[in-house]
Amino acid sequence: MNGQTGNVFVLSGGAARGAVQVGMMQTLIEAEIVPDALVGTSVGALNAAFMGWQPDADRVHELAERWLRLTTRDIFPGGNWSRLGHLAQRHAYLFSSGALRTLIDAWIPVARLEDLTTPVRVTTTPLASSAATYHDSGPIADLLLASAAMPGVFAPVELTDHAGVRTPHVDGGVADLVPVAGARDFNPRRVFVLDATVPARLPHARTPIEIVIASLSVAMRVRPFPDLGHDVVVHHLVGPDLGITTTDFTRTAEHLSLGRGIAADLLETLDSPAGASRGHRRWGRFSRAA
């Protein structure tokens, strides 16, 4: 990509914790820090695509309202019997992705990624490669389904590359859970990393979904963030752990509030004389205790 982009928002994976990102965006956008481009993985890709249509205050507040109406069944349909049925039929997944596709169709008003008004890159993991793929174009529903296709939880999604070859892709978090590397080609001035990943916690996972998400989080924590250049200011906003499973949507309001508070902490730092004098700082990590 030619030229330089002002603000790039990078949105991690994190399942139900994705509401933290929405709260962060509410505060940032209300303060007129608006994304000129977005990069997302998994739930972060869904949030990014939603905001890519119209990255303003009305749109982000609408996203928050939609999140408040979400339930676990809206993403992970069925119960124990349906999961046992998938296993009995030797499916490569525990949940049908039909409910998630219905949600994507209802949330995103365009059919192709390149038709969004603001550039959005969606991260997926091709099973035939050892590196993440950052998509700038293509069928948006398929790309978002692939980016959220946690291995063993949802089925892989076949995508067609620029050479016309179709290969299966899974959750972008497998290769890049916090896709800062996807922002590099935008040549950004500032990057805001909206991190909703699961913090390190003792392993009390009880379901395959929880184990997969916890494993992806471990992989992210041992992978260093890429260097975007000495003149790029990167602000890393991270949410505290409420100690719930990442498939639990009952505390969305708390996640939204936490996200707003974390971004407010950042804004106070940016507005202070000390913060202004540290404008060259490349990484700033902001969090608020639960």
Side-chain angles (χ1 to χ4, degrees):
M1 296 184 181
N2 297 322
Q4 189 169 38
T5 305
N7 298 319
V8 175
F9 285 11
V10 173
L11 287 73
S12 74
R17 286 170 53 85
V20 172
Q21 297 170 342
V22 182
M24 292 171 177
M25 287 193 289
Q26 285 181 298
T27 296
L28 292 174
I29 291 173
E30 286 172 353
E32 299 184 350
I33 298 176
V34 177
D36 299 297
L38 304 100
V39 184
T41 285
S42 197
V43 69
L46 175 63
N47 284 334
F50 188 94
M51 292 305 300
W53 176 245
Q54 185 178 325
D56 61 17
D58 288 342
R59 185 73 171 166
V60 75
H61 294 324
E62 179 186 347
L63 180 58
E65 290 299 320
R66 289 177 182 258
W67 264 91
L68 286 168
R69 294 194 295 269
L70 276 181
T71 68
T72 300
R73 292 292 179 92
D74 291 327
I75 309 295
F76 306 101
N80 292 334
W81 286 112
S82 64
R83 291 195 290 272
L84 288 173
H86 290 308
L87 291 173
Q89 297 175 66
R90 299 194 176 188
H91 292 163
Y93 53 88
L94 291 174
F95 294 94
S96 165
S97 58
L100 183 53
R101 181 178 285 274
T102 297
L103 184 146
I104 291 168
D105 290 341
W107 282 28
I108 312 298
V110 294
R112 295 190 63 83
L113 188 62
E114 63 269 30
D115 291 337
L116 294 170
T117 61
T118 300
V120 173
R121 306 191 84 189
V122 171
T123 312
T124 67
T125 301
L127 291 180
S129 173
S130 59
T133 299
Y134 307 99
H135 303 266
D136 299 303
S137 62
I140 202 163
D142 288 346
L143 290 171
L144 294 179
L145 284 175
S147 188
M150 292 179 285
V153 179
F154 294 117
V157 178
E158 286 200 348
L159 300 175
T160 304
D161 64 18
H162 295 296
V165 178
R166 291 181 63 79
T167 57
H169 289 240
V170 296
D171 196 312
V174 173
D176 198 354
L177 189 54
V178 187
V180 176
R184 183 182 288 114
D185 287 348
F186 286 120
N187 192 21
R189 292 188 179 92
R190 293 193 298 182
V191 173
F192 294 84
V193 182
L194 312 185
D195 189 344
T197 56
V198 182
R201 59 168 68 156
L202 292 175
H204 295 301
R206 297 181 301 275
T207 70
I209 302 174
E210 295 169 41
I211 293 170
V212 168
I213 293 174
S215 300
L216 292 178
S217 181
V218 171
M220 182 278 297
R221 289 194 296 273
V222 300
R223 183 183 300 122
F225 286 123
D227 185 355
L228 297 180
H230 70 278
D231 59 342
V232 181
V233 178
V234 183
H235 299 291
H236 184 192
L237 291 81
V238 59
D241 187 4
L242 296 184
I244 62 174
T245 68
T246 50
T247 59
D248 183 352
F249 289 82
T250 63
R251 298 179 71 178
T252 293
E254 290 177 74
H255 280 136
L256 289 167
S257 179
L258 284 171
R260 289 193 292 267
I262 293 160
D265 290 344
L266 169 63
L267 293 179
E268 288 182 8
T269 302
L270 295 180
D271 289 339
S272 71
S277 68
R278 294 196 300 269
H280 65 281
R281 180 181 52 189
R282 289 182 50 233
W283 286 98
R285 187 176 177 89
F286 294 84
S287 64
R288 174 170 293 190

PDB file of all heavy atoms in Angstrom, residues 23 72 99 137 178 211 232:
ATOM      1  N   GLY A  23     -15.990  -1.495  23.913  1.00  0.00           N
ATOM      2  CA  GLY A  23     -15.915  -0.406  24.884  1.00  0.00           C
ATOM      3  C   GLY A  23     -14.726   0.495  24.637  1.00  0.00           C
ATOM      4  O   GLY A  23     -14.823   1.729  24.733  1.00  0.00           O
ATOM      5  N   THR A  72     -24.784 -17.041  24.176  1.00  0.00           N
ATOM      6  CA  THR A  72     -23.874 -18.111  23.759  1.00  0.00           C
ATOM      7  C   THR A  72     -24.435 -18.865  22.569  1.00  0.00           C
ATOM      8  O   THR A  72     -23.707 -19.201  21.623  1.00  0.00           O
ATOM      9  CB  THR A  72     -23.627 -19.073  24.929  1.00  0.00           C
ATOM     10  OG1 THR A  72     -23.035 -18.346  26.014  1.00  0.00           O
ATOM     11  CG2 THR A  72     -22.693 -20.207  24.510  1.00  0.00           C
ATOM     12  N   ALA A  99     -25.103 -20.612  12.638  1.00  0.00           N
ATOM     13  CA  ALA A  99     -25.567 -19.487  13.459  1.00  0.00           C
ATOM     14  C   ALA A  99     -24.644 -18.288  13.306  1.00  0.00           C
ATOM     15  O   ALA A  99     -25.102 -17.141  13.217  1.00  0.00           O
ATOM     16  CB  ALA A  99     -25.655 -19.914  14.925  1.00  0.00           C
ATOM     17  N   SER A 137      -9.366  -8.446   0.573  1.00  0.00           N
ATOM     18  CA  SER A 137     -10.529  -8.567  -0.298  1.00  0.00           C
ATOM     19  C   SER A 137     -11.053  -9.986  -0.237  1.00  0.00           C
ATOM     20  O   SER A 137     -10.379 -10.896   0.247  1.00  0.00           O
ATOM     21  CB  SER A 137     -10.154  -8.209  -1.750  1.00  0.00           C
ATOM     22  OG  SER A 137      -9.177  -9.111  -2.254  1.00  0.00           O
ATOM     23  N   VAL A 178      -2.944 -11.667  18.014  1.00  0.00           N
ATOM     24  CA  VAL A 178      -2.985 -10.203  18.118  1.00  0.00           C
ATOM     25  C   VAL A 178      -2.278  -9.673  16.865  1.00  0.00           C
ATOM     26  O   VAL A 178      -1.075  -9.473  16.858  1.00  0.00           O
ATOM     27  CB  VAL A 178      -2.289  -9.701  19.394  1.00  0.00           C
ATOM     28  CG1 VAL A 178      -2.495  -8.198  19.554  1.00  0.00           C
ATOM     29  CG2 VAL A 178      -2.820 -10.429  20.626  1.00  0.00           C
ATOM     30  N   ILE A 211     -10.347 -25.119  26.203  1.00  0.00           N
ATOM     31  CA  ILE A 211      -8.971 -25.590  26.074  1.00  0.00           C
ATOM     32  C   ILE A 211      -8.315 -25.009  24.827  1.00  0.00           C
ATOM     33  O   ILE A 211      -7.161 -24.570  24.857  1.00  0.00           O
ATOM     34  CB  ILE A 211      -8.939 -27.132  26.043  1.00  0.00           C
ATOM     35  CG1 ILE A 211      -9.373 -27.681  27.415  1.00  0.00           C
ATOM     36  CG2 ILE A 211      -7.538 -27.639  25.690  1.00  0.00           C
ATOM     37  CD1 ILE A 211      -9.607 -29.169  27.423  1.00  0.00           C
ATOM     38  N   VAL A 232       6.650   4.771  14.598  1.00  0.00           N
ATOM     39  CA  VAL A 232       5.258   4.359  14.779  1.00  0.00           C
ATOM     40  C   VAL A 232       4.955   4.285  16.279  1.00  0.00           C
ATOM     41  O   VAL A 232       5.634   3.574  17.023  1.00  0.00           O
ATOM     42  CB  VAL A 232       4.979   2.992  14.120  1.00  0.00           C
ATOM     43  CG1 VAL A 232       3.513   2.609  14.317  1.00  0.00           C
ATOM     44  CG2 VAL A 232       5.331   3.028  12.638  1.00  0.00           C
TER      45      VAL A 232
END
